[in-house]
Protein backbone atom coordinates (compact mmCIF):
# COMPACT_ATOMS: atom_id res chain seq x y z
CA UNK A 1 0.00 0.00 0.00
CA UNK A 2 2.72 2.48 0.97
CA UNK A 3 4.76 1.71 -2.13
CA UNK A 4 1.72 2.16 -4.37
CA UNK A 5 0.84 5.41 -2.62
CA UNK A 6 4.35 6.74 -3.00
CA UNK A 7 4.38 5.80 -6.67
CA UNK A 8 1.08 7.64 -7.24
CA UNK A 9 2.34 10.74 -5.49
CA UNK A 10 5.70 10.61 -7.21
CA UNK A 11 4.41 10.11 -10.74
CA UNK A 12 1.81 12.83 -10.30
CA UNK A 13 4.52 15.17 -9.13
CA UNK A 14 6.94 14.03 -11.77
CA UNK A 15 4.38 14.65 -14.49
CA UNK A 16 4.06 18.16 -13.17
CA UNK A 17 7.83 18.48 -12.87
CA UNK A 18 8.15 17.45 -16.48
CA UNK A 19 6.91 20.87 -17.31
CA UNK A 20 9.91 22.77 -18.53
CA UNK A 21 9.03 25.41 -21.06
CA UNK A 22 9.56 28.48 -18.92
CA UNK A 23 11.85 27.36 -16.11
CA UNK A 24 15.12 25.71 -15.31
CA UNK A 25 15.35 22.37 -13.55
CA UNK A 26 16.36 24.23 -10.39
CA UNK A 27 13.30 26.49 -10.54
CA UNK A 28 10.98 23.54 -11.15
CA UNK A 29 12.58 21.50 -8.36
CA UNK A 30 12.36 24.45 -5.97
CA UNK A 31 8.68 24.95 -6.76
CA UNK A 32 7.97 21.23 -6.32
CA UNK A 33 9.88 21.26 -3.07
CA UNK A 34 7.64 24.05 -1.85
CA UNK A 35 4.56 22.01 -2.74
CA UNK A 36 5.75 18.90 -0.88
CA UNK A 37 6.97 20.92 2.09
CA UNK A 38 3.32 21.72 2.78
CA UNK A 39 3.18 18.21 4.24
CA UNK A 40 5.63 19.10 7.00
CA UNK A 41 2.96 20.81 9.09
CA UNK A 42 0.93 17.60 9.23
CA UNK A 43 3.86 15.34 10.12
CA UNK A 44 5.64 14.85 13.45
CA UNK A 45 9.44 15.16 13.61
CA UNK A 46 9.87 11.36 13.61
CA UNK A 47 8.13 11.18 10.25
CA UNK A 48 10.27 13.96 8.76
CA UNK A 49 13.29 12.00 9.94
CA UNK A 50 12.17 9.04 7.80
CA UNK A 51 12.25 11.23 4.68
CA UNK A 52 15.57 12.78 5.69
CA UNK A 53 17.19 9.36 6.00
CA UNK A 54 15.66 8.06 2.75
CA UNK A 55 16.70 11.19 0.85
CA UNK A 56 20.42 10.46 1.40
CA UNK A 57 20.43 6.67 1.68
CA UNK A 58 22.21 4.38 -0.76
CA UNK A 59 18.95 2.48 -1.16
CA UNK A 60 16.19 5.00 -0.42
CA UNK A 61 13.27 2.58 -0.84
CA UNK A 62 14.65 0.05 1.63
CA UNK A 63 15.58 2.80 4.07
CA UNK A 64 12.10 4.34 3.85
CA UNK A 65 10.39 0.99 4.45
CA UNK A 66 12.70 0.11 7.36
CA UNK A 67 12.25 3.51 9.01
CA UNK A 68 8.47 3.37 8.53
CA UNK A 69 8.36 0.00 10.30
CA UNK A 70 10.22 1.58 13.22
CA UNK A 71 7.60 4.31 13.68
CA UNK A 72 4.72 3.98 16.08
CA UNK A 73 1.64 2.82 14.15
CA UNK A 74 -0.21 6.08 14.70
CA UNK A 75 2.70 8.09 13.26
CA UNK A 76 3.05 5.73 10.28
CA UNK A 77 -0.67 6.23 9.67
CA UNK A 78 -0.19 10.02 9.71
CA UNK A 79 2.53 9.68 7.07
CA UNK A 80 0.30 7.51 4.89
CA UNK A 81 -2.61 9.94 5.29
CA UNK A 82 -0.41 12.93 4.47
CA UNK A 83 0.91 11.27 1.31
CA UNK A 84 -2.58 10.15 0.31
CA UNK A 85 -3.87 13.70 0.75
CA UNK A 86 -1.54 14.87 -2.02
CA UNK A 87 -3.63 12.97 -4.57
CA UNK A 88 -6.95 14.45 -3.47
CA UNK A 89 -8.44 17.30 -5.46
CA UNK A 90 -8.52 20.46 -3.42
CA UNK A 91 -5.68 19.49 -1.13
CA UNK A 92 -3.01 22.19 -0.76
CA UNK A 93 -0.27 19.99 -2.27
CA UNK A 94 -2.44 18.87 -5.17
CA UNK A 95 -3.48 22.46 -5.88
CA UNK A 96 0.15 23.58 -5.71
CA UNK A 97 1.21 20.90 -8.21
CA UNK A 98 -1.60 21.90 -10.56
CA UNK A 99 -0.44 25.51 -10.42
CA UNK A 100 3.05 24.32 -11.31
CA UNK A 101 1.65 22.42 -14.26
CA UNK A 102 -0.03 25.59 -15.49
CA UNK A 103 3.10 27.65 -14.86
CA UNK A 104 5.53 25.47 -16.79
CA UNK A 105 3.09 24.05 -19.39
CA UNK A 106 5.00 21.26 -21.06
CA UNK A 107 5.28 17.54 -20.68
CA UNK A 108 8.06 14.99 -20.68
CA UNK A 109 7.72 11.47 -21.97
CA UNK A 110 10.74 10.22 -20.04
CA UNK A 111 9.75 10.39 -16.38
CA UNK A 112 12.90 8.58 -15.26
CA UNK A 113 15.12 11.15 -16.99
CA UNK A 114 13.10 14.02 -15.53
CA UNK A 115 13.36 12.43 -12.08
CA UNK A 116 17.14 12.24 -12.41
CA UNK A 117 17.27 15.89 -13.43
CA UNK A 118 15.15 16.89 -10.42
CA UNK A 119 17.41 14.87 -8.10
CA UNK A 120 20.46 16.61 -9.52
CA UNK A 121 18.79 20.00 -9.11
CA UNK A 122 17.95 19.20 -5.47
CA UNK A 123 21.25 17.61 -4.53
CA UNK A 124 22.52 20.61 -2.56
CA UNK A 125 19.15 22.14 -1.65
CA UNK A 126 18.27 22.20 2.03
CA UNK A 127 14.81 21.41 3.40
CA UNK A 128 13.57 19.32 0.46
CA UNK A 129 13.83 15.91 2.07
CA UNK A 130 10.27 14.81 1.35
CA UNK A 131 10.42 15.47 -2.36
CA UNK A 132 13.99 14.24 -2.73
CA UNK A 133 13.19 10.99 -0.91
CA UNK A 134 10.13 10.39 -3.10
CA UNK A 135 12.13 11.12 -6.24
CA UNK A 136 15.02 8.89 -5.24
CA UNK A 137 12.70 6.03 -4.29
CA UNK A 138 11.14 5.98 -7.72
CA UNK A 139 14.04 6.60 -10.07
CA UNK A 140 15.64 3.43 -11.33
CA UNK A 141 19.42 3.28 -11.34
Amino acid sequence: MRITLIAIVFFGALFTAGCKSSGSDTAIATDMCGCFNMLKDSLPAEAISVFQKASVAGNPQETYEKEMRNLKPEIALKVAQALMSTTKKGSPVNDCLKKMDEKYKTNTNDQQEMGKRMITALKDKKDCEIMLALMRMNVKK
Side-chain angles (χ1 to χ4, degrees):
M1 168 74 176
R2 288 184 189 131
I3 294 169
T4 303
L5 175 62
I6 291 168
I8 290 169
V9 171
F10 170 76
F11 286 116
L14 191 56
F15 176 77
T16 301
C19 308
K20 192 173 186 304
S21 65
S22 63
S24 70
D25 288 349
T26 302
I28 294 167
T30 299
D31 283 355
M32 276 187 72
C33 177
C35 291
F36 280 100
N37 277 349
M38 292 178 180
L39 293 175
K40 284 187 175 182
D41 292 339
S42 62
L43 297 174
E46 306 96 280
I48 300 299
S49 176
V50 169
F51 290 104
Q52 289 170 333
K53 290 175 182 176
S55 72
V56 297
N59 189 326
Q61 184 67 47
E62 283 181 19
T63 300
Y64 175 82
E65 290 172 6
K66 177 184 164 235
E67 294 298 324
M68 286 295 289
R69 285 191 298 270
N70 291 334
L71 291 177
K72 293 178 185 175
E74 60 272 14
I75 294 174
L77 180 61
K78 282 185 179 188
V79 173
Q81 289 172 333
L83 290 174
M84 185 67 83
S85 75
T86 65
T87 64
K88 293 182 182 174
K89 285 185 178 183
S91 74
V93 175
N94 191 279
D95 288 348
C96 182
L97 292 172
K98 284 183 181 184
K99 286 178 185 174
M100 276 189 59
D101 192 29
E102 292 170 12
K103 179 178 179 179
Y104 295 108
K105 292 200 191 267
T106 59
N107 187 359
T108 183
N109 292 327
D110 189 349
Q111 293 180 345
Q112 290 295 310
E113 180 59 32
M114 191 64 202
K116 289 174 186 175
R117 289 178 20 209
M118 292 294 101
I119 290 167
T120 299
L122 288 173
K123 191 164 61 169
D124 298 321
K125 185 135 176 71
K126 302 269 188 227
D127 298 323
C128 281
E129 300 87 8
I130 295 173
M131 186 185 134
L132 185 56
L134 293 172
M135 291 274 180
R136 292 195 64 232
M137 282 189 271
N138 287 286
V139 170
K140 295 178 176 107
K141 293 190 175 193

